Every structure is written in C-alpha cells, then in structure tokens.
Amino acid sequence: MKKSILFFVSSLLCMSSFAQKIQDNEASQIYVKPKLVVGIVVDQMRYDYLTRFYNKYGEGGFKRMMNEGFNCKNNHFNYIPTYTAPGHASVYTGTSPMNHGIIGNNWYDKESKTSVYCAGDSTVASVGTADKAGKMSPHRMMTTSFADENRLFTQMQGKTIGVSVKDRGAILPAGHTANAAYWFHGKDEGVFISSTYYQEKLPKWVEKFNDSKTAKSYLKDWNTLYNIKTYTESGDDLNAFEGGFKGKETATFPYDLKKLSKENGGFDIIKSTPYGNSIVADFAMAAVKGEDLGQDDITDVLTVSFSSTDYVGHNFGVSSKEVEDTYIRLDKDLERFFDMLDKTVGKGEYTVFLTADHGAVEVPAYLHEHNVPAGYFEKKGFKSNLNDFTTKTFGSSDLIENISNNQIFLDREKIKVLGLNLEDVQQAIANELITLDNIYYAYTASTIAKGAFTNGIESLFKNGYNLKRSGDVLFEYNPAVISYSKTGSTHGSGLNYDTHVPLLFFGKGIKHGSTLQKTEIIDIAPTISGLLGISFPNGATGQPLEFVLE
C-alpha cells in the first residue's frame, strides 16, 4: 500500500514537473527579447532594386537579409500620398495618415491658414548648431510608434535612438519618447544635430563624431565603385533624363565633390551622393557604441533611415548609373553595419527589418521615348483656371484657399457666407478636374469620408485622408504622369511603382523564407510588437505577419 502511495505521489510530481516545463516553454514562445531592434528605411527604394542589382551585391548586406531572413516580395503602401514623412510614420506606427496625421512632408494647416512642416516645432531650440535646422520634434504625429510602446513597456529603460540625413527620417520613426534623434546638418558645418525636445546638449560621443571631421572626408571624388562598363543594369551615363550638379556641364561620372560643393550647398552635396548613406552608417555604428545599445537584456531600438538614395533618385532617375552605384555602395555599408552588430551586440542577439518609405516612377520623358504612356502635369495656370471655373459656376473667384499634395482646400467660411452648399462646391470642382488632361481620378472629401472603401484607388485615398488635416477635393494624375522637372524621378501616387517596396526581416525570432502574399507597410509595427510581446502602437491598424516569426 505504501509503495502504491509513493508511486502515485511520485507520478504526480513528475506530471507536475512536466506540466511546468510545458508551461515554461509556452511562456518562452510568447515573445522573444532581442537585445536590439534595428529598423532600416531606405528612402525611395523600389522593390525591383533588390532583384535588378542582385548580382552586384555582396553576401553580407541585402543578400544576407534575404538568405538568412524573410523576404516579403509583395509589400505595398496602402494609402496616397506616398511621400517621405507619411512613409516613415506609417512604418513605425502601424497605421496610415488617416490616423497618425502625417499627411505629407508639408501641408496646408486649415486653422492657421499657412503651410506647416511635418517635424517643425517653434517651441524647441537647435542643439549642436546655431541654425534653425534643429527646431524639430515629433509633436505633429498623433499616435505612438512601436519604439514608444517598447519604452513604455520597459518603464523607459529600453533606449530609442533615431538616425538619418533627414530630420523627418530620424524624428518620426523614433517616436515621442525617444532618448534622442539625430540628423545631418550640411551647409558650412557638416555635423549631426538634434533639438531641445530630447536634450539640452549633444552627448560627448556625438561631439567626438562631429569633431572627427568625418563629413570632410567624404568631400572627395565620386566615381563608380566598379568599372562603369559592368553597370549593365542601368542606362547610358550620358543622357537627357538626368539633372546633375551645378558647376558640371554633364551628369556623368566622375564627380569632384570638393570642387562642386562650393555651388551645391557646401556639405549638403554629400546628401545627394552614396556618401550620405555612408556617414549615416558611420554615425549609427557610433550610436550603438556611444549609447551602449544592445548591451543588456532590456530591448533597445535603433531607427536608421538612409535618405541619400532619395536625393540621388530625384536628381538622376530610376535607370541611372548613379542610382545603381548608390545601391551597390549602400549594400557595402549594410554589410559593415551588420558585421559591427555581430561583434558588438552578438550574432543572433538582434533583429532587423528593412523597408522603404515609397518607391519612384521612371522618368516620364524616358518612358515616352519608349512608347510607354507618360507625361507631365503643368501646374502653371492650374489655380487661376479653377478660379475662373468657380467664378462662372458660383460667382466667386476666391473659393480656393490652397492647392497642395494633390488636394484642394476650400474657403469654407466664404462658402457659408455665400450660402453655398459645401458638398455641391466640392463635387463641381471634382467634376471639372476629371475633364482636365492628365488627371485620372478626382474625389470629394465628403465621398472619401463617408465611403466604406476597402479596395481599389478609393481605399488608398481613404487611408491617406485625415478628417482634421486633409483637403476638400483629392485628385490623382494619369499613370506615369508627374508634376516635376523633365529630369529625375519622383513619387507620391498610389500606383505600383510608388507603393511596391522591399520588406526584409532577419535576426532573432525571424524565420527563413519568403512569400508573394500581399503585405502592407502598416503590418511592420504590429509584427515587431508581436515579436517583443509589447502593446501595439495605439493607432495601429495593420496585422502581425505571423508567418515571419519563429
């Protein structure tokens, strides 16, 4: 009898121990704790830059992410307009401009009747420069980022640092609670700066970096990394579709940056070359060491935006040898960055994602030359023609306050005084717009606000429309039609060339694989939040990509 009781008790203890082990294993799978999460946004990166330049990449940058991590090959933005500030905000907040409120880089403020900048903040002061370039903060972003949620989850013990050439590329991703955001100030200084939103003075490691004159070392010749004849993935170096730099007759290699800097903004010229990405990589690595990121068991976040790709794309165009060389060199910068993380944080101890804030259209003049429908929208006279229309239709020539970001803002007080119906005025203008050459879509704010759109171009307008900040009439150009110079590329539409961007994950907690299943940019923040086991950003509307996570 005693043996039976002992056996029974022993069995219970074993079962209890086994159950506890199962419970512990399940708990350990609820979330993982990388020491560091690195979010990388490549400004103006089309998805096909991964595939077009694939054979020119080394094994340690883009290819490492694809071979060791997970590649979402059909990743898109889910709203219009596809600009830099909305892109960065959407990546990190997990929602669209409808909710986070960053509807453009600049936009018309209906209350102040002036244009405002997405990160501009007159209540703070510059740190690291006497120039007003530091008067910036994330105060116009209405929701949290996953970096904010990580800070809240860790009781502010997990650090967040944002780094970019552009202020908005550093500030918006890092969120409201960041320890610091740093961006590059060119002109005659060539330094990384910040604002009093974060701190009263630069840390010693930042001062040391700025004193190292790293920026000056990049005022050198920019030539192709490899023999230019091997750059078969891009067009002729000399063509009619590129902008170039002041002081040089042709947009052709090589470029003497030290010489050209005198007519091109001093140190600002670095931004428009691959070396702008290199100095961001240099600074990001200095930030990892200077801030001791990833050195304990509390997850830190580093946001890095490589913005020089955008400057080069705007200047030279999608098919230029300058763009190809920029991506080949960025691949090298990524490789040395990852190598440093392996040594400093530990291989397998950090998690990285890489995406873009928008894509870019081929130069319409180039497309037109190859019989692809494309063109340019002429803005000159656009507003005056609409004023003529409102005069004939409603007896007033000043109903339109502002036209920006492909949105028309009406003077609602004037409409009320004249006894007009707002929706009637909106619809009449939308109807007129659709009769104009090169305008493909036109919708009223009332239609977009009231409609339950879940797909098509209307859903993109819906997700990009903010009730408080957006205009009264929204419109889109024809495919491959832009309002821009005849040289270089731009972006902003809801078409595939602007919405289809890379999405790569690799590192701790990430599966190896790929998918052609459609994913959206707003899915990134919930995925990282799910990985970390933290709250989703408070306005998030995206869904975690469960198939990416181990």
Side-chain angles (χ1 to χ4, degrees):
M1 184 66 178
K2 287 182 179 180
K3 287 183 178 180
S4 297
I5 292 171
L6 286 172
F7 177 77
F8 179 69
V9 172
S10 177
S11 297
L12 282 177
L13 290 172
C14 287
M15 290 173 66
S16 176
S17 176
F18 182 68
Q20 185 62 49
K21 286 181 179 179
I22 292 175
Q23 189 175 355
D24 289 344
N25 286 336
E26 287 178 345
S28 68
Q29 292 172 4
I30 291 173
Y31 65 91
V32 298
K33 289 179 65 178
K35 293 183 176 181
L36 179 65
V37 172
V38 181
I40 298 174
V41 174
V42 183
D43 206 325
Q44 201 188 120
M45 184 175 185
R46 293 162 53 113
Y47 175 79
D48 65 355
Y49 289 165
L50 280 181
T51 53
R52 190 196 305 182
F53 306 138
Y54 185 85
N55 292 331
K56 293 292 193 296
Y57 293 144
E59 297 300 319
F62 290 116
K63 281 186 180 179
R64 179 178 176 185
M65 295 195 75
M66 288 185 272
N67 293 335
E68 295 183 18
F70 203 98
N71 183 1
C72 297
K73 300 178 179 180
N74 190 21
N75 185 59
H76 289 263
F77 279 88
N78 71 327
Y79 63 83
I80 298 170
T82 43
Y83 296 145
T84 296
H88 282 77
S90 298
V91 167
Y92 285 87
T93 63
T95 192
S96 60
M98 170 196 285
N99 296 310
H100 62 60
I102 304 298
I103 65 170
N105 296 332
N106 302 272
W107 63 84
Y108 181 71
D109 182 71
K110 291 186 277 192
E111 292 186 12
S112 66
K113 308 295 184 185
T114 59
S115 179
V116 297
Y117 178 60
C118 61
D121 189 345
S122 61
T123 69
V124 300
S126 299
V127 174
T129 179
D131 193 277
K132 64 181 180 180
K135 294 175 71 64
M136 305 288 170
S137 84
H139 74 108
R140 287 195 169 95
M141 189 167 74
M142 303 306 295
T143 59
T144 61
S145 68
F146 79 77
D148 286 321
E149 296 300 335
N150 184 65
R151 290 273 285 159
L152 294 168
F153 181 82
T154 62
Q155 301 301 307
M156 302 298 170
Q157 295 178 80
K159 285 187 175 181
T160 298
I161 303 293
V163 179
S164 180
V165 159
K166 294 180 180 179
D167 49 50
R168 56 188 180 269
I171 291 168
L172 299 175
H176 302 277
T177 61
N179 298 84
Y182 301 101
W183 52 97
F184 184 72
H185 176 56
K187 296 185 179 180
D188 60 348
E189 296 185 67
V191 294
F192 279 86
I193 64 172
S194 190
S195 90
T196 53
Y197 178 86
Y198 307 100
Q199 57 203 346
E200 295 300 318
K201 63 177 294 186
L202 295 177
K204 288 183 179 179
W205 69 266
V206 178
E207 291 180 343
K208 181 179 179 182
F209 184 92
N210 288 337
D211 291 342
S212 70
K213 306 300 181 184
T214 302
K216 190 174 183 180
S217 71
Y218 287 119
L219 289 179
K220 58 183 180 179
D221 283 355
W222 173 23
N223 208 341
T224 52
L225 186 63
Y226 305 126
N227 189 317
I228 196 169
K229 292 180 180 179
T230 67
Y231 282 33
T232 53
E233 297 80 9
S234 46
D236 294 335
D237 192 28
L238 180 62
N239 60 72
F241 312 114
E242 301 177 11
F245 296 110
K246 294 178 182 177
K248 193 173 190 301
E249 289 186 8
T250 59
T252 54
F253 286 104
Y255 298 94
D256 182 344
L257 300 184
K258 185 176 182 180
K259 180 180 178 182
L260 292 172
S261 67
K262 298 173 184 177
E263 294 185 56
N264 293 273
F267 285 105
D268 277 333
I269 196 173
I270 295 173
K271 299 177 183 179
S272 299
T273 75
Y275 303 137
N277 292 329
S278 297
I279 200 170
V280 165
D282 295 339
F283 191 83
M285 290 189 284
V288 171
K289 295 176 181 178
E291 296 288 345
D292 291 325
L293 300 180
Q295 298 307 302
D296 57 32
D297 292 331
I298 301 173
T299 302
D300 298 319
V301 175
L302 175 65
T303 74
V304 183
S305 179
F306 291 107
S307 301
S308 291
T309 43
D310 186 64
Y311 289 106
V312 175
H314 276 294
N315 193 354
F316 298 97
V318 167
S319 291
S320 65
K321 294 200 184 303
E322 286 80 359
V323 161
E324 180 169 357
D325 191 66
T326 296
Y327 277 89
I328 291 171
R329 290 177 181 273
L330 174 58
D331 183 63
K332 298 290 186 185
D333 286 325
L334 289 173
E335 181 173 3
R336 66 189 179 92
F337 182 37
F338 295 154
D339 286 346
M340 185 277 300
L341 291 176
D342 287 343
K343 295 172 184 176
T344 306
V345 180
K347 192 171 184 179
E349 293 297 331
Y350 61 92
T351 306
V352 182
F353 71 80
L354 182 149
T355 188
D357 57 348
H358 52 73
V361 64
E362 269 281 10
V363 180
Y366 171 80
L367 292 176
H368 184 73
E369 189 172 280
H370 289 80
N371 300 316
V372 177
Y376 296 88
F377 182 80
E378 183 56 65
K379 278 188 175 179
K380 187 178 181 181
F382 180 43
K383 186 176 181 180
S384 62
N385 290 339
L386 286 179
N387 285 338
D388 290 343
F389 169 77
T390 61
T391 299
K392 293 175 184 176
T393 309
F394 301 108
S396 177
S397 63
D398 53 358
L399 297 183
I400 297 173
E401 283 189 345
N402 179 268
I403 303 176
S404 56
N405 296 325
N406 285 16
Q407 298 181 25
I408 295 174
F409 295 79
L410 299 177
D411 186 336
R412 295 191 174 195
E413 287 301 317
K414 184 67 177 289
I415 289 171
K416 190 182 296 184
V417 168
L418 292 175
L420 300 173
N421 180 279
L422 176 63
E423 292 189 17
D424 289 345
V425 177
Q426 291 176 344
Q427 191 61 59
I429 292 174
N431 292 343
E432 176 67 11
L433 287 176
I434 208 66
T435 68
L436 303 181
D437 291 342
N438 287 328
I439 289 187
Y440 207 47
Y441 298 102
Y443 291 96
T444 68
S446 299
T447 298
I448 296 300
K450 294 176 182 178
F453 305 114
T454 57
N455 53 54
I457 195 76
E458 295 87 357
S459 70
L460 301 183
F461 276 120
K462 178 87 174 178
N463 291 330
Y465 181 80
N466 184 276
L467 282 169
K468 284 184 173 290
R469 294 178 174 176
S470 296
D472 290 281
V473 182
L474 299 78
F475 60 92
E476 266 278 73
Y477 303 128
N478 285 7
V481 168
I482 58 177
S483 178
Y484 198 66
S485 68
K486 300 296 174 65
T487 58
S489 300
T490 193
H491 49 87
S493 79
L495 292 156
N496 286 327
Y497 49 74
D498 282 336
T499 67
H500 190 194
V501 297
L503 177 54
L504 305 173
F505 294 89
F506 98 107
K508 190 165 187 175
I510 303 299
K511 287 181 181 177
H512 173 232
S514 64
T515 184
L516 275 169
Q517 177 181 327
K518 186 174 183 179
T519 59
E520 294 184 335
I521 209 75
I522 59 172
D523 298 331
I524 297 172
T527 301
I528 296 298
S529 296
L531 174 78
L532 299 178
I534 63 176
S535 294
F536 290 7
N538 60 17
T541 51
Q543 297 299 314
L545 303 176
E546 190 175 358
F547 49 81
V548 166
L549 305 179
E550 288 184 338

